[in-house]
CSV table of all heavy atoms in Angstrom, one decimal:
chain,number,residue,atom,x,y,z
C,50,SER,N,-39.1,-47.5,-134.8
C,50,SER,CA,-40.5,-47.4,-134.3
C,50,SER,C,-40.5,-47.8,-132.9
C,50,SER,O,-39.5,-48.3,-132.3
C,50,SER,CB,-41.4,-48.4,-135.1
C,50,SER,OG,-40.9,-49.7,-135.0
C,51,VAL,N,-41.6,-47.5,-132.2
C,51,VAL,CA,-41.7,-47.8,-130.8
C,51,VAL,C,-43.0,-48.5,-130.5
C,51,VAL,O,-43.9,-48.4,-131.4
C,51,VAL,CB,-41.6,-46.6,-129.8
C,51,VAL,CG1,-40.2,-46.1,-129.7
C,51,VAL,CG2,-42.5,-45.5,-130.3
C,52,PHE,N,-43.1,-49.2,-129.4
C,52,PHE,CA,-44.4,-49.8,-129.1
C,52,PHE,C,-45.2,-48.8,-128.2
C,52,PHE,O,-44.7,-48.0,-127.5
C,52,PHE,CB,-44.2,-51.1,-128.3
C,52,PHE,CG,-43.7,-52.2,-129.2
C,52,PHE,CD1,-42.4,-52.8,-129.0
C,52,PHE,CD2,-44.5,-52.7,-130.2
C,52,PHE,CE1,-41.9,-53.8,-129.8
C,52,PHE,CE2,-44.0,-53.7,-131.1
C,52,PHE,CZ,-42.7,-54.3,-130.9
C,55,HIS,N,-44.6,-48.7,-124.4
C,55,HIS,CA,-43.2,-48.3,-123.9
C,55,HIS,C,-43.3,-47.1,-123.1
C,55,HIS,O,-44.1,-46.2,-123.4
C,55,HIS,CB,-42.3,-48.1,-125.1
C,55,HIS,CG,-41.6,-49.4,-125.5
C,55,HIS,ND1,-40.9,-49.5,-126.7
C,55,HIS,CD2,-41.7,-50.7,-125.0
C,55,HIS,CE1,-40.5,-50.8,-126.9
C,55,HIS,NE2,-40.9,-51.5,-125.9
C,56,PRO,N,-42.3,-46.9,-122.1
C,56,PRO,CA,-42.3,-45.6,-121.4
C,56,PRO,C,-41.9,-44.5,-122.4
C,56,PRO,O,-41.2,-44.7,-123.3
C,56,PRO,CB,-41.1,-45.9,-120.4
C,56,PRO,CG,-40.8,-47.3,-120.4
C,56,PRO,CD,-41.3,-47.9,-121.7
C,57,LEU,N,-42.5,-43.4,-122.1
C,57,LEU,CA,-42.2,-42.2,-123.0
C,57,LEU,C,-40.7,-41.9,-123.0
C,57,LEU,O,-40.2,-41.4,-124.1
C,57,LEU,CB,-43.0,-41.0,-122.4
C,57,LEU,CG,-43.4,-39.9,-123.4
C,57,LEU,CD1,-44.0,-40.5,-124.7
C,57,LEU,CD2,-44.4,-39.0,-122.8
C,58,SER,N,-40.0,-42.1,-121.9
C,58,SER,CA,-38.6,-41.8,-121.9
C,58,SER,C,-37.8,-42.7,-122.9
C,58,SER,O,-36.8,-42.3,-123.5
C,58,SER,CB,-38.0,-41.9,-120.5
C,58,SER,OG,-38.3,-43.2,-120.0
C,59,HIS,N,-38.4,-43.9,-123.1
C,59,HIS,CA,-37.7,-44.7,-124.1
C,59,HIS,C,-37.9,-44.2,-125.6
C,59,HIS,O,-37.0,-44.2,-126.4
C,59,HIS,CB,-38.3,-46.2,-124.1
C,59,HIS,CG,-37.8,-47.1,-125.2
C,59,HIS,ND1,-36.5,-47.5,-125.2
C,59,HIS,CD2,-38.3,-47.5,-126.3
C,59,HIS,CE1,-36.3,-48.3,-126.2
C,59,HIS,NE2,-37.4,-48.3,-127.0
C,60,ALA,N,-39.1,-43.7,-125.8
C,60,ALA,CA,-39.4,-43.1,-127.1
C,60,ALA,C,-38.5,-41.8,-127.3
C,60,ALA,O,-38.0,-41.6,-128.4
C,60,ALA,CB,-40.9,-42.6,-127.2
C,61,LEU,N,-38.3,-41.1,-126.3
C,61,LEU,CA,-37.4,-39.9,-126.3
C,61,LEU,C,-36.0,-40.4,-126.7
C,61,LEU,O,-35.3,-39.7,-127.5
C,61,LEU,CB,-37.4,-39.2,-125.0
C,61,LEU,CG,-36.7,-37.9,-124.9
C,61,LEU,CD1,-37.3,-36.8,-125.9
C,61,LEU,CD2,-36.7,-37.3,-123.5
C,62,LEU,N,-35.5,-41.5,-126.1
C,62,LEU,CA,-34.2,-42.0,-126.4
C,62,LEU,C,-34.1,-42.4,-127.9
C,62,LEU,O,-33.2,-42.1,-128.6
C,62,LEU,CB,-33.9,-43.2,-125.5
C,62,LEU,CG,-32.5,-43.8,-125.6
C,62,LEU,CD1,-31.5,-42.9,-125.0
C,62,LEU,CD2,-32.5,-45.1,-124.8
C,63,VAL,N,-35.1,-43.2,-128.4
C,63,VAL,CA,-35.1,-43.6,-129.8
C,63,VAL,C,-35.1,-42.4,-130.7
C,63,VAL,O,-34.3,-42.3,-131.6
C,63,VAL,CB,-36.3,-44.5,-130.1
C,63,VAL,CG1,-36.4,-44.9,-131.5
C,63,VAL,CG2,-36.2,-45.8,-129.2
C,64,LEU,N,-36.0,-41.4,-130.4
C,64,LEU,CA,-36.1,-40.3,-131.3
C,64,LEU,C,-34.8,-39.4,-131.3
C,64,LEU,O,-34.5,-38.8,-132.3
C,64,LEU,CB,-37.3,-39.4,-130.9
C,64,LEU,CG,-38.7,-39.9,-131.4
C,64,LEU,CD1,-39.8,-39.3,-130.5
C,64,LEU,CD2,-38.9,-39.5,-132.8
C,65,SER,N,-34.1,-39.4,-130.2
C,65,SER,CA,-32.9,-38.6,-130.1
C,65,SER,C,-31.8,-39.3,-130.8
C,65,SER,O,-30.8,-38.6,-131.2
C,65,SER,CB,-32.5,-38.3,-128.6
C,65,SER,OG,-32.0,-39.5,-128.0
C,72,ILE,N,-41.8,-40.8,-135.5
C,72,ILE,CA,-41.7,-42.2,-135.9
C,72,ILE,C,-43.1,-43.0,-135.6
C,72,ILE,O,-43.9,-42.5,-134.9
C,72,ILE,CB,-40.6,-42.9,-135.2
C,72,ILE,CG1,-40.7,-42.8,-133.6
C,72,ILE,CG2,-39.2,-42.4,-135.6
C,72,ILE,CD1,-39.7,-43.6,-132.9
C,90,ILE,N,-43.5,-35.1,-127.1
C,90,ILE,CA,-42.9,-35.4,-125.8
C,90,ILE,C,-42.4,-34.2,-125.1
C,90,ILE,O,-42.7,-34.0,-123.9
C,90,ILE,CB,-41.7,-36.4,-126.0
C,90,ILE,CG1,-42.2,-37.7,-126.8
C,90,ILE,CG2,-41.1,-36.8,-124.6
C,90,ILE,CD1,-41.1,-38.7,-127.1
C,105,ILE,N,-42.9,-36.3,-117.4
C,105,ILE,CA,-43.2,-37.5,-118.3
C,105,ILE,C,-43.0,-38.8,-117.6
C,105,ILE,O,-43.2,-39.9,-118.1
C,105,ILE,CB,-42.5,-37.4,-119.6
C,105,ILE,CG1,-40.9,-37.6,-119.5
C,105,ILE,CG2,-42.8,-36.2,-120.4
C,105,ILE,CD1,-40.2,-37.9,-120.8
C,108,LEU,N,-45.4,-42.0,-117.8
C,108,LEU,CA,-46.3,-41.9,-119.0
C,108,LEU,C,-45.8,-42.9,-120.0
C,108,LEU,O,-44.6,-43.3,-120.1
C,108,LEU,CB,-46.2,-40.5,-119.6
C,108,LEU,CG,-46.9,-39.4,-118.8
C,108,LEU,CD1,-46.8,-38.1,-119.6
C,108,LEU,CD2,-48.3,-39.7,-118.5
C,110,VAL,N,-46.0,-44.2,-124.3
C,110,VAL,CA,-46.1,-43.7,-125.7
C,110,VAL,C,-47.6,-43.4,-126.0
C,110,VAL,O,-47.9,-42.4,-126.5
C,110,VAL,CB,-45.5,-44.6,-126.7
C,110,VAL,CG1,-45.8,-44.2,-128.1
C,110,VAL,CG2,-44.0,-44.7,-126.5
N,110,PHE,N,-31.9,-38.5,-119.4
N,110,PHE,CA,-32.1,-37.1,-119.8
N,110,PHE,C,-32.3,-36.2,-118.6
N,110,PHE,O,-33.0,-36.5,-117.7
N,110,PHE,CB,-33.4,-36.9,-120.7
N,110,PHE,CG,-33.3,-37.7,-122.0
N,110,PHE,CD1,-33.8,-39.0,-122.1
N,110,PHE,CD2,-32.8,-37.1,-123.1
N,110,PHE,CE1,-33.7,-39.7,-123.3
N,110,PHE,CE2,-32.7,-37.8,-124.3
N,110,PHE,CZ,-33.2,-39.1,-124.4
Side-chain angles (χ1 to χ4, degrees):
Chain C
S50 59
V51 286
F52 289 117
H55 274 170
L57 204 48
S58 56
H59 175 73
L61 187 60
L62 186 68
V63 174
L64 280 160
S65 74
I72 55 176
I90 304 175
I105 65 168
L108 294 182
V110 170
Chain N
F110 294 92

